[in-house]
Amino acid sequence: MLQNKRFCAIIFFAVFLLTGCGEKIEPGNVEPSKKERVKAPVVSAKIIIQPFFYESVGTVSAKTVSTISSKLMGSVREVFVREGDHVNRGDRLANIDDRQVGAMLRQAKAALAEARRAEAAADAGAELARATYTRYQNLMKDESTSPQEFDEIKSRYQQAQAGLAAAKQRVKQAEASLSSAAVSAKDAVILAPYDGTIRAKMIDVGDLASPGKPLFTLETTGNYIVDLVLPEQYINTVVLDQEVTVTVSALNNKTFTGSVKEIFPAADAKSRSFLVKVGIPVDKALRSGMFARVSIPIGNTGLILIPLTAVIHSGQLTGIYIVDDTQTAKFRLIRTGRIFGESIEVLSGLKEGDRYVSVPPPNLNNNMTVEAVS
C-alpha cells in the first residue's frame, strides 16, 4: 500500500516537470481601467480689492460721567440712593448736617438787618445835613452867617454823605454774605444734576463729607461711547464723523454702526497711540465697562477670496481641489484667513489664475477627471 502511494507521487511529479518544460506561455495584456469622471463647477482664482480694517479693542462707557462731591463740611445725615438707581434731574441724593450753615445763614440775616438800620439812620442824618447846608448857603449869600460857621456846616454835610455811602456799602456786603450763606444752606442737600444712573456710592450715613470729597458717580443712561486706542501709524486714516463697525461680545457679538466723535490731539508717550471716542446708537442692553471691538477702515488691499463651499476640512487639514490643464482634480492644502460673508480669504496655497472646484461633489476624489459645469 505504501509502495502504491510513492508510485503515484513520482508519476505526478514527472507530469509536472513535463508540463513546465513545454512551450513558453506569452504574457497577456490587461485592458487599463478608464479614469473616473465627475461633473463639478470650476472657477478661476482672482485677486479682489477689499477694504483693509484695523481691529482695535475698546471699552463701552457712558457719554457723560460725573463725580458728585460736597461743597461743605458736615456729617452725612441721609442717603437716598444706591448703585444702579435711576434718578432724574433735581432728585435728592443725600442730606448733609446743615446746623452750621443754618447758623451762618441766621447770622447773615441779622447782619443784613443791622446794616439796613444803619443805612436808614445814615440816610436820615444825611438828609438833615443836606437841608442845613442848603439853608446856610442862603444865609451866606445874605451875609447872615460867618464863613467859619458855613465851613463847619459844609463839613458836617460831607461827612453825612460819606457815612451814607459807607452804610450802603455795608448793606451790599451783608446782602452778599446772606446770598453766600443761602447757597451754602442749599449745598447741604445733594441733588442730581441730570437724568442718569448711579454708578457708584462712596458714602454712608454718619460719614464726614468735606469739600471735594467724592460722594457719588453719576452717568447718563442710553448714550454710550466706546473708548479705544489707535496706533500712531493709523491716526491719519480716521476723521470725525467717520463710520466704523462696533462689535460687543457680551451681546452675542451684536454689531453697531458707530461714528468717530473725538480724536485726542496728542499721543500717549509710552504706547505711541491716540485715544479715540466712537459714538454708538442707543441700546438698552449696553452697559458701561463692556468689551468691544472696533473695525476701522485704513485702506484697500488685494485678497484672494473663494467660496466657503470650496473648502474641504479633513481632520486637521484644510484644502481645495485644484483642476490642472488635463482636467484632473488634485487636492491641495491651503491656509485660510478672515471670513467675508460667504467667502473666505486664502493666505497661501492658491494664486491668481489657478482653477479650482467651487462646490466639490461628495464622490470627488484625487486624480478624478473633472468636467466643468456652470
Side-chain angles (χ1 to χ4, degrees), residues 153-200:
I153 296 301
K154 182 179 179 180
S155 176
R156 292 174 186 174
Y157 167 70
Q158 291 174 342
Q159 290 176 359
Q161 292 297 320
L164 177 61
K168 289 183 177 180
Q169 185 62 31
R170 287 193 292 271
V171 169
K172 290 181 179 180
Q173 292 176 351
E175 289 175 343
S177 298
L178 178 60
S179 178
S180 176
V183 171
S184 297
K186 290 182 179 179
D187 290 339
V189 180
I190 308 300
L191 304 177
Y194 52 80
D195 297 351
T197 302
I198 300 296
R199 178 195 283 189

Side-chain angles (χ1 to χ4, degrees), residues 8 26 63 77 79 83 125 135 167 220 226 259 281 313 331-332 347 356 362 368 371:
C8 291
E26 295 293 332
K63 186 177 181 179
R77 298 179 61 185
V79 179
E83 289 87 347
R135 186 169 62 251
T220 54
V226 177
S259 61
H313 300 280
F331 184 76
R332 180 184 294 179
L347 301 177
Y356 63 93
M368 278 189 174
E371 181 181 344

Side-chain angles (χ1 to χ4, degrees), residues 142-163:
D142 296 336
E143 297 182 354
S144 298
T145 183
S146 66
Q148 183 178 358
E149 288 179 332
F150 177 77
D151 290 341
E152 290 178 358
I153 296 301
K154 182 179 179 180
S155 176
R156 292 174 186 174
Y157 167 70
Q158 291 174 342
Q159 290 176 359
Q161 292 297 320

Side-chain angles (χ1 to χ4, degrees), residues 237-254:
T237 64
V238 295
V239 294
L240 292 177
D241 298 325
Q242 177 182 349
E243 289 191 352
V244 295
T245 301
V246 179
T247 303
V248 181
S249 303
L251 303 183
N252 296 322
N253 290 323
K254 186 174 182 179

